[in-house]
Amino acid sequence: MTEYTKLEEIRLEKIETLREKGIETYPTRAKRTHTSAEAIEAFEMAEESASQGEEVLATLTGRLRSARNLGKISFAHIEDGAGRVQLFFRVNDIGKEKLDFFAKFFDLGDFIQAEGTMFRTRTGEVTLRVSDFKLLAKAVTPLPAAKDETLEDGTVVHHAALEDVQLRARQRYADLAVNLKTRETFKKRAAITRSLRDFLDERDFLEVETPILQPIYGGAAAQPFTTHHNQLKQELYLRISFELYLKRLLVGNLERVYEIGRDFRNEGVSYKHNPEFTQLEFYWAYADYLQVMELTEQMVAYAAEKATGSTKVTYQGQEIDFTPPWNRLEMRQGLLDECGVDINECRDASSLHAALNEKNIEHPADIQRGKLIDWMVDEFLEAKMIQPTFLYNYPREISPLAKSIPGDPQTVERFEGFVAGMELCNAFTELNDPIDQEQRFLEMGRDYDEDDEEQHPMDEDYLRAMRYGMPPNGGFGMGVDRLVMLLTDKHSIREVLLFPHLRAEE
RNA sequence: GGGCGCGUAGCUCAAUCCGGCAGAGCAGUGGCCUUUUAAGCCAUUGGUUGUGAGUUCGAGUCUCACCGCGCUCACCA
């Protein structure tokens, strides 16, 4: 049984009293003629027009956010999807009984429908002079923040607003109801994903949906979630990437495909990692990673423009300029500049370990060359890439699905995009040679056997698809949540997820 | 998983350093108030101080364990 607080019990008693009076506390239907913004605009238009003084009749609906009962009159603010508007109740207009009904039985957080005529108060605020009103839905639990102050310049200051990060995430409904900024964040998020779709649709990319439940996971080096199909008695994995399915579509002559959807990785949770996250991947036949690079900077700049109105944004106090072209940094050159080690001169793990030792650089021992280079990027380069930067040309060992640079079999045509010291996206010229791909799977299986629990499973069906012939192509993946973080100036991924993963309560 | 920090009324926070009656504002309740807007004024309700144990005459405060959250490191294509 639900245990109620005293504040809730008082409201439940009000509900009981209203029902005894025959007043419906959750009526089925509502009516409105204007949103708050439309009503205010209509009144201002009427004020300015030649037919000045013409009455603007309106029926408004919304949530009660403040109430000031002054005896024989009351003022209140309601909030709807378009903003706020003030209501004015006067005993002369509605009589004592109705005024008392409002003052006694309406609480902050309740939904109300009110009709009347728009006017301007002595202090100049456009307000609805209420002639009749009714309860639309009673709130039992008080909203966590009750009062806001609107300053002269129009900014709204929240007093005693809901700020507790945990509570805001667990009870996102309350956070959204009370914090305008939270609603704005998620509207921006929608604008960002819409802009990404628009950008790709305009360029003839086809949006597709591929399986989330997969018999074999792949396309990334990550631990999967496992699940089970009861009737088929089949072990299944939640996908860790879309890559292998999307590339099957290139075999099927779909030349440009993309998917925006959820990936699941059974790994650590942090300010930039959630167990499920939104990924954008696209594959582009007859393109290579350099073309993908250009498309990427245009696409992200487009999203920034659509979401924030500019390609320059402020992130955690520093200005980030997404305007193309972005910085380009070759991995070998970047590492050579930062730590004096030339990875091209160190073609195996032991020579690279030796070179690092020679420079007195402490580094993890006993790991293979590719992983060591990855470590060097983390150590020397990642945090320095604040402005959007493409780091390109990666070691083959950590890129089993990317194609080598002609004439340099140990290096692949791959880049990652970094912004604010955070990895945003990952792309490469895709490997389309089925013989080479099979070899890579075998190599990965061996490598991971040796020093990792992350097996890279062989996907026989994917190889069968590739054997039918796959056009040369460039592929791309981006963490959409991270892009949203950058464009909404949020330090934590939890702030851009409506319902981030949290431990179970109690 | 490691380190550091936080958890007090529905919400925001005091009291913790140096143990001594657990407080304020808002919200709520009762009253006054016909242009307010964080309305105001008078009165008033509301607490297992995250949970459990310990030290002590006495614990919100000190100690330990646990739970949750945050930051950070590790992990993470």
Side-chain angles (χ1 to χ4, degrees), chain A residues 271-292:
Chain A
Y271 73 96
K272 53 182 176 179
H273 297 271
N274 196 64
E276 54 180 300
F277 62 99
T278 299
Q279 179 94 322
L280 162 66
E281 289 191 26
F282 70 71
Y283 293 85
W284 181 10
Y286 313 114
D288 64 10
Y289 77 142
L290 295 174
Q291 289 165 279
V292 171

Side-chain angles (χ1 to χ4, degrees), chain A residues 36-186:
Chain A
S36 57
E38 286 166 355
I40 290 165
E41 197 192 341
F43 176 77
E44 285 175 341
M45 298 262 287
E47 260 187 338
E48 287 165 17
S49 72
S51 55
Q52 202 179 3
E54 191 181 325
E55 288 202 330
V56 174
L57 297 167
T59 302
L60 305 179
T61 55
R63 188 167 216 158
L64 203 56
R65 290 306 307 276
S66 68
R68 296 171 291 284
N69 296 313
L70 278 71
K72 298 198 171 54
I73 59 169
S74 287
F75 288 93
H77 273 98
I78 61 167
E79 188 168 52
D80 64 13
R84 288 182 183 214
V85 65
Q86 184 169 249
L87 306 182
F88 176 55
F89 303 81
R90 195 169 58 151
V91 70
N92 310 39
D93 299 323
I94 57 175
K96 186 176 187 313
E97 199 179 331
K98 284 209 159 184
L99 190 67
D100 284 349
F101 170 53
F102 177 76
K104 275 191 188 309
F105 288 97
F106 279 71
D107 292 294
L108 304 187
D110 292 351
F111 287 90
I112 187 174
Q113 170 182 317
E115 61 178 288
T117 55
M118 303 301 293
F119 78 112
R120 204 177 272 279
T121 64
R122 276 182 202 166
T123 52
E125 181 166 350
V126 179
T127 300
L128 181 77
R129 187 193 308 272
V130 176
S131 59
D132 201 5
F133 63 96
K134 72 178 212 180
L135 181 63
L136 286 183
K138 189 77 190 149
V140 175
T141 306
L143 286 175
K147 286 198 173 178
D148 301 317
E149 177 181 14
T150 308
L151 300 177
E152 283 180 13
D153 62 8
T155 54
V156 177
V157 179
H158 294 259
H159 293 276
L162 180 66
E163 284 173 0
D164 183 87
V165 176
Q166 180 182 176
L167 206 58
R168 286 181 46 233
R170 280 197 199 281
Q171 301 189 25
R172 187 66 85 193
Y173 32 87
D175 181 30
L176 287 163
V178 144
N179 290 323
L180 183 61
K181 280 184 178 170
T182 305
R183 291 199 293 262
E184 283 170 355
T185 297
F186 289 100

Side-chain angles (χ1 to χ4, degrees), chain A residues 189-209 258-261 278-280 299 302-303 480:
Chain A
R189 184 179 173 120
I192 290 163
T193 52
R194 193 183 317 119
S195 73
L196 295 172
R197 285 196 166 90
D198 288 347
F199 183 89
L200 291 167
D201 289 344
E202 279 166 20
R203 284 159 186 77
D204 288 327
F205 281 83
L206 181 72
E207 183 171 13
V208 298
E209 293 175 275
Y258 76 97
E259 179 166 3
I260 293 178
T278 299
Q279 179 94 322
L280 162 66
M299 179 172 71
Y302 180 81
V480 173

Side-chain angles (χ1 to χ4, degrees), chain A residues 237-253:
Chain A
Y237 302 96
L238 274 62
R239 67 181 173 192
I240 57 172
S241 85
F242 323 154
E243 172 145 7
L244 300 183
Y245 279 96
L246 291 179
K247 274 158 51 180
R248 282 170 168 90
L249 300 177
L250 297 189
V251 172
N253 284 13

